Amino acid sequence: MSTQEGQANIGKVLTILRDWDCGDRTVRGRMLNTFLTQNTGKTFYELELEFAQVASLFLARLTTWVRLTYMFGTFLGLQLKAIGVFLSASSHDQYLTEFLQDGGVLTLLDILSHSQSKEEEKAEALRLLLTISNAGRKYKEVICESYGVKAMAECLAKLNTDETQETAWAVLESLSHGNPKYQNQIYKSLVALMTCTSPKAQQLLLHTLRKIQSRIKTAHPSIVEPLLRMLRSLHLEVQTEAINLILDLKGYDVRPILLSGLVALLKPTREEVEQDQNIKESEIIKMTGSLPVFVQQAAAAKAIRLLAEGNEEVSRELLSLGVIHHLLYAMGNREHTDAQIQASLASELFVRSYPVIEEHVQRAIGSTLFAAFMHKADNLHMNMDETQAEILLTNKVGITEGNDCY
């Protein structure tokens, strides 16, 4: 660019800045629309040429305006999009550094926590935080130092649209990579978030937990109870992620309590059943006619089968917990077909793997029922009468580690 052209650009930009400083919010709103139309997608160098090396002055004005007006401003969405033009400019981190120095991250996090912020404004703030996090480790650490992990977790649990939840999740995913200083903090925050009720949030956080879990050496015991409770979910994608995480955890020190918890779910207590029966408005009951505790029972049986397949060590631990008795009990639950199917398939795995177990089971449930079970385990429920179901529910099979089953 020639000196003359440079001087012309400087004059143009100074005029823009003067109009900005003198204009009211309506004028600034129009200027933002023009700015976005003309500059979205430009690189750092293109913006420097356009603004004649005083782009930083305009970014500073934008940042200050947002900080002063976000609690009641009418152009917050436009303001954040305009800031995004600068932060997304490739090949340089100058604007990112300037934005952070002006308190930009704290302002974005305040927008997320402000009850009057609209969903689309929070989505824009999340997108800016994602841009900042993706810029590198030092930027991730700034977000985490500003309690950004907690803010992302709350957004994931409370925001209403899939888009905003997925963006909050993307920020957490980004923060969890290449950020060793805060990896454990992110892990613990996600574990604490497992009590949320949003199926979308549950699916996303389980997916992220699996990734983080693969990078750390231990699993926190507090993960087990909420993870097992997610097996109650009516949403297949949540159950799938939960079971996958359970399978991942078999190699961690929480395995004993995880396995004992799964076995216990096969035989819900009377109090648990009655408690679910009293929740008349339960989504699961209305949509499936089944109690949540029975949905959980079926998922637990499926998880047990997948854990035991090809893993003799885990199989022995499950047998020591009396898994056969509990699986036979679940097979007799005529109130939930899937519980019967999953328990039958899991029982078949153990019976075909250990001849002594086959003998115990046949003796306990009778030759007729056993023959039908061995013919096609997952169809057993279709021809089971009330008497046969009662035999399964009252079975006395006591195979444990002390029996010579191996």
Side-chain angles (χ1 to χ4, degrees), residues 230-275:
M230 283 192 181
L231 296 179
R232 289 174 164 239
S233 177
L234 181 63
H235 300 267
L236 181 60
E237 60 275 13
V238 175
Q239 275 207 16
T240 299
E241 290 287 356
I243 290 175
N244 285 337
L245 181 53
I246 288 171
L247 296 178
D248 293 343
L249 290 173
K250 69 177 181 292
Y252 290 81
D253 46 3
V254 297
R255 185 169 79 189
I257 57 174
L258 185 63
L259 295 183
S260 62
L262 285 168
V263 172
L265 294 180
L266 296 172
K267 195 173 181 180
T269 65
R270 179 178 299 178
E271 291 76 14
E272 289 172 325
V273 174
E274 290 176 351
Q275 184 179 20

Side-chain angles (χ1 to χ4, degrees), residues 78 200 207 224 325 361 368 385 403:
L78 279 177
K200 186 66 177 180
H207 185 78
V224 174
H325 165 74
V361 172
T368 302
D385 59 31
N403 295 104

Side-chain angles (χ1 to χ4, degrees), residues 163-397:
E163 181 185 2
T164 49
Q165 285 184 317
E166 288 173 0
T167 308
W169 165 71
V171 178
L172 280 172
E173 277 267 289
S174 176
L175 291 173
S176 71
H177 289 282
N179 189 16
K181 183 177 179 180
Y182 289 96
Q183 184 169 260
N184 284 335
Q185 182 193 103
I186 296 168
Y187 174 74
K188 291 176 182 178
S189 295
L190 290 175
V191 171
L193 186 60
M194 292 176 75
T195 56
C196 74
T197 57
S198 163
K200 186 66 177 180
Q202 290 175 340
Q203 178 194 357
L204 294 173
L205 74 90
L206 284 169
H207 185 78
T208 304
L209 265 174
R210 289 189 65 205
K211 290 188 174 182
I212 298 177
Q213 190 69 71
S214 68
R215 298 195 294 269
I216 59 180
K217 296 180 179 180
T218 60
H220 199 279
S222 62
I223 197 174
V224 174
E225 184 179 348
L227 177 57
L228 293 179
R229 191 164 184 83
M230 283 192 181
L231 296 179
R232 289 174 164 239
S233 177
L234 181 63
H235 300 267
L236 181 60
E237 60 275 13
V238 175
Q239 275 207 16
T240 299
E241 290 287 356
I243 290 175
N244 285 337
L245 181 53
I246 288 171
L247 296 178
D248 293 343
L249 290 173
K250 69 177 181 292
Y252 290 81
D253 46 3
V254 297
R255 185 169 79 189
I257 57 174
L258 185 63
L259 295 183
S260 62
L262 285 168
V263 172
L265 294 180
L266 296 172
K267 195 173 181 180
T269 65
R270 179 178 299 178
E271 291 76 14
E272 289 172 325
V273 174
E274 290 176 351
Q275 184 179 20
D276 277 2
Q277 288 173 335
N278 291 332
I279 308 176
K280 299 184 184 301
E281 298 303 314
S282 166
E283 177 189 9
I284 295 180
I285 296 175
K286 287 190 290 185
M287 295 185 68
T288 69
S290 296
L291 301 179
V293 73
F294 293 156
V295 174
Q296 188 181 35
Q297 180 188 44
K302 180 179 180 180
I304 285 170
R305 173 173 57 83
L306 295 174
L307 283 165
E309 283 180 345
N311 194 317
E312 187 174 350
E313 184 179 352
V314 171
S315 296
R316 290 184 177 186
E317 289 182 42
L318 287 165
L319 289 169
S320 74
L321 294 167
V323 71
I324 301 301
H325 165 74
H326 287 74
L327 284 171
L328 294 178
Y329 178 90
M331 285 168 61
N333 181 10
R334 299 180 73 197
E335 294 186 58
H336 191 64
T337 299
D338 194 42
Q340 292 183 290
I341 294 172
Q342 296 298 337
S344 295
L345 291 172
S347 298
E348 182 185 30
L349 174 66
F350 286 102
V351 167
R352 295 191 184 278
S353 300
Y354 302 99
V356 177
I357 293 179
E358 180 178 351
E359 296 172 13
H360 277 272
V361 172
Q362 182 172 5
R363 189 163 54 247
I365 69 175
S367 57
T368 302
L369 185 59
F370 183 78
F373 164 70
M374 294 297 286
H375 174 65
K376 195 163 178 57
D378 55 342
N379 279 352
L380 180 65
H381 66 284
M382 297 176 67
N383 302 308
M384 185 185 299
D385 59 31
E386 190 171 334
T387 300
Q388 291 172 321
E390 187 63 24
I391 290 173
L392 292 168
L393 291 171
T394 58
N395 83 87
K396 303 298 183 183
V397 174

